[in-house]
Amino acid sequence: MNDLLYVNGGNPLEGTITVRGAKNFVSKAMVASLLGETPSVLRNVPQIRDVGVVSGLLELHGVNVKYDTDAGILDLDPSNVESAHMADIDAHAGSSRIPILFCGPLLHRLGEAFIPDLGGCRIGDRPINYHLEILRKFGAEVDKRPNGIHLRAPRRLQGTKFRLEYPSVGSTEQLLLTAVRAEGITELSNAAIEPEIMDLIAVLQKMGAIISVDTDRVIRIEGVDRLEGFNHTALADRIEAASWASAALATGGDVTIKGATQPEMMTFLNTFRKVGGQFDVQDDGIRFWHPGGDLRSIVLETDVHPGFMTDWQQPLVVALTQATGLSIVHETVYENRFGFTDALRQMGATIQVYKECLGGGDCRFGQRNFHHSAVVSGPTPLAAADIEVPDLRGGFSHLIAALAAKGTSTVRGISLIDRGYESFQDKLVALGADVSRD
Ligand code: EPU
């Protein structure tokens, strides 16, 4: 199949779609199953490529994985966990960043782990220094080699105290997945508290872990000797939901998203309303629509939870090209998340990127050479173009731009979007979009 999609845009998206479990939770819960002595069941699992990659990695380590795609149910049996061959892991990890989270569980179960060079979206440097520091603090021996990282636990990992310089999501998960079976108490300060992390904590508690979350970003874990399997329904994908909501706004449409939930999306909903979009929270989802008339420009800063998610930024920026006036967007989570605006400019958007911290406080990227602020001037009609998907969220933003633009765009590298958006082409068709492959 050709890796491109023709999008004949200029029509509003209208209709109803469903979002299932969050990509950035499901993959972590799958890793958590490795910590249990008995099988786990995960529900509401979307059929996306990241689930396939993590399933494959679990299977390489002896976990028996059964996935009922229609029902969205994953059965994970870790009774026979074993070391996998390095070459297999390397070949299988593909573009995912999840392998790094296998460290703690494998060190507990096998006393060793191998992590290949990590992939993931190119939206910044994406170092793993916090992860490795955390593992060393627990007592793991970390050996960096050209093909990846080898880890060993010469004895049972020991609880520890750690303060994150920045509330990193993955590093908080690393610490949780390691601390639950380490000996003694672990305390993490400046932890990330994203809803996906809270759901991971819920899973670990079901497994038998003892974890408390204080109001000031402090998480305390009392290590236990044994964990059981879990039975859990994944929280909804709030990034996917916000992406479709932004598509509704940018195309002047009206989209009901079944499965979307309000508490995890509050900050997005506030911003959506400020821009001029309307929404209605229903029992089983949220309806988002463009009420007609002008959209309003805004000042926006991305941040860790409970701030405005970095992953919501790229789709919303496309809608901001249709708002009247100057919008200012300050990206404070990743230093390099405006690359996708090149294609928008090619399509007629007026967006300038700056190295300065605009529109908010100073961030880690100020006074350095990162183009991490953007000024969007609108409204500008968008014209069809031939564009290439740069990364997962940037790619979906390109898709939104193509849907909003008059004429037929060619969007290349479209399979990257399968990593995190379940059946997106079917959903586009269900919303009346005119899309086709060769
Ligand atoms: N960081 C470090 N050192 C580390 C780890 C992180 O400096 O050892 C920095 C990063 O470079 C970045 C910041 O900390 O500037 C935040 O990174 P974080 O660790 O929070 O991100 P992550 O765990 O790698 C997850 C999601 C991302 C999402 C971010 C922020 C997954 C698989 N990925 O990444 O999702 O943007 O949290 O919420 O959960 C996506 O879904 O498209 C995506 C990129």
Side-chain angles (χ1 to χ4, degrees):
M1 189 169 32
N2 268 336
D3 194 19
L4 56 79
L5 192 70
Y6 299 111
V7 180
N8 184 15
N11 304 312
L13 289 187
E14 281 170 357
T16 300
I17 51 164
T18 299
V19 296
R20 297 205 278 185
K23 156 184 161 296
N24 290 348
F25 161 77
V26 165
S27 45
K28 325 296 171 62
M30 290 171 73
V31 178
S33 74
L34 268 177
L35 288 162
E37 303 295 332
T38 52
S40 292
V41 180
L42 187 59
R43 300 172 197 281
N44 203 25
V45 176
Q47 199 180 355
I48 51 175
R49 204 161 68 244
D50 266 20
V51 168
V53 169
V54 183
S55 296
L57 287 170
L58 287 171
E59 278 168 348
L60 287 178
H61 286 96
V63 178
N64 190 350
V65 181
K66 281 198 208 113
Y67 181 26
D68 178 339
T69 49
D70 289 343
I73 299 176
L74 258 179
D75 287 290
L76 304 154
D77 184 350
S79 318
N80 298 310
V81 170
E82 56 186 44
S83 296
H85 292 291
M86 260 189 259
D88 294 342
I89 306 177
D90 214 2
H92 209 91
S95 60
S96 173
R97 294 186 61 76
I98 304 301
I100 188 79
L101 294 177
F102 277 66
C103 293
L106 289 180
L107 285 171
H108 285 304
R109 300 239 13 183
L110 305 171
E112 60 175 4
F114 165 71
I115 308 302
D117 275 344
L118 295 180
C121 290
R122 291 182 300 276
I123 50 182
D125 223 11
R126 308 199 75 178
I128 52 167
N129 53 323
Y130 302 157
H131 293 256
L132 300 184
E133 274 174 50
I134 286 170
L135 290 161
R136 284 197 186 98
K137 284 275 276 181
F138 278 107
E141 287 174 0
V142 179
D143 182 14
K144 282 201 215 173
R145 296 190 200 158
N147 59 347
I149 301 164
H150 291 253
L151 299 110
R152 246 173 39 86
R155 61 186 186 115
R156 186 171 175 193
L157 298 179
Q158 299 292 304
T160 184
K161 256 190 162 183
F162 197 87
R163 181 179 170 79
L164 278 170
E165 206 180 351
Y166 183 79
S168 143
V169 169
S171 315
T172 300
E173 292 160 344
Q174 178 75 264
L175 183 128
L176 285 166
L177 290 166
T178 310
V180 283
R181 273 188 59 181
E183 188 171 358
I185 293 178
T186 297
E187 189 182 280
L188 177 66
S189 326
N190 205 24
I193 49 164
E194 267 61 12
E196 292 75 17
I197 291 179
M198 293 301 136
D199 217 24
L200 181 63
I201 290 176
V203 160
L204 293 169
Q205 188 179 50
K206 285 179 177 176
M207 297 177 81
I210 303 172
I211 305 174
S212 60
V213 183
D214 294 343
T215 47
D216 52 355
R217 290 191 182 275
V218 173
I219 300 181
R220 279 169 63 88
I221 303 111
E222 288 180 39
V224 295
D225 294 338
R226 184 186 161 93
L227 293 169
E228 305 298 330
F230 61 83
N231 189 329
H232 192 78
T233 300
L235 85 169
D237 198 315
R238 63 197 175 118
I239 306 177
E240 188 189 356
S243 302
W244 288 110
S246 298
L249 197 59
T251 61
D254 186 337
V255 174
T256 297
I257 306 173
K258 299 255 187 240
T261 48
Q262 183 183 20
E264 293 78 17
M265 293 190 72
M266 285 210 161
T267 309
F268 179 82
L269 295 174
N270 286 335
T271 303
F272 194 81
R273 181 169 276 161
K274 283 193 210 164
V275 178
Q278 292 195 0
F279 60 87
D280 177 38
V281 178
Q282 304 168 349
D283 286 347
D284 58 351
I286 306 179
R287 176 183 162 212
F288 294 90
W289 73 98
H290 188 312
D294 290 348
L295 296 180
R296 293 184 287 273
S297 52
I298 51 162
V299 177
L300 180 67
E301 181 168 73
T302 63
D303 206 347
V304 294
H305 189 74
F308 190 92
M309 287 187 93
T310 170
D311 306 281
W312 291 335
Q313 178 261 106
Q314 289 156 305
L316 192 74
V317 161
V318 185
L320 292 180
T321 66
Q322 304 308 305
T324 303
L326 291 182
S327 291
I328 299 175
V329 184
H330 183 206
E331 169 61 59
T332 77
V333 180
Y334 287 113
E335 66 272 29
N336 188 16
R337 219 169 189 179
F338 283 123
F340 76 103
T341 59
D342 290 347
L344 300 189
R345 268 188 292 278
Q346 190 191 333
M347 297 173 82
T350 307
I351 304 176
Q352 278 177 315
V353 289
Y354 295 89
K355 293 178 190 166
E356 289 76 15
C357 297
L358 297 184
D362 288 345
C363 77
R364 296 172 293 150
F365 312 136
Q367 312 301 330
R368 294 167 71 194
N369 278 327
F370 301 123
H371 289 97
H372 70 292
S373 293
V375 177
V376 186
S377 174
T380 46
L382 298 178
D386 189 328
I387 49 184
E388 174 91 32
V389 167
D391 59 70
L392 177 61
R393 308 299 169 193
F396 197 86
S397 308
H398 285 185
L399 209 49
I400 300 176
L403 290 162
K406 283 223 156 51
T408 302
S409 295
T410 306
V411 187
R412 297 178 192 277
I414 200 80
S415 61
L416 201 54
I417 297 180
D418 289 326
R419 263 195 58 211
Y421 291 89
E422 182 176 37
S423 313
F424 71 89
Q425 196 176 334
D426 295 343
K427 291 180 188 178
L428 284 171
V429 170
L431 297 176
D434 181 1
V435 294
S436 58
R437 304 215 183 202
D438 265 340

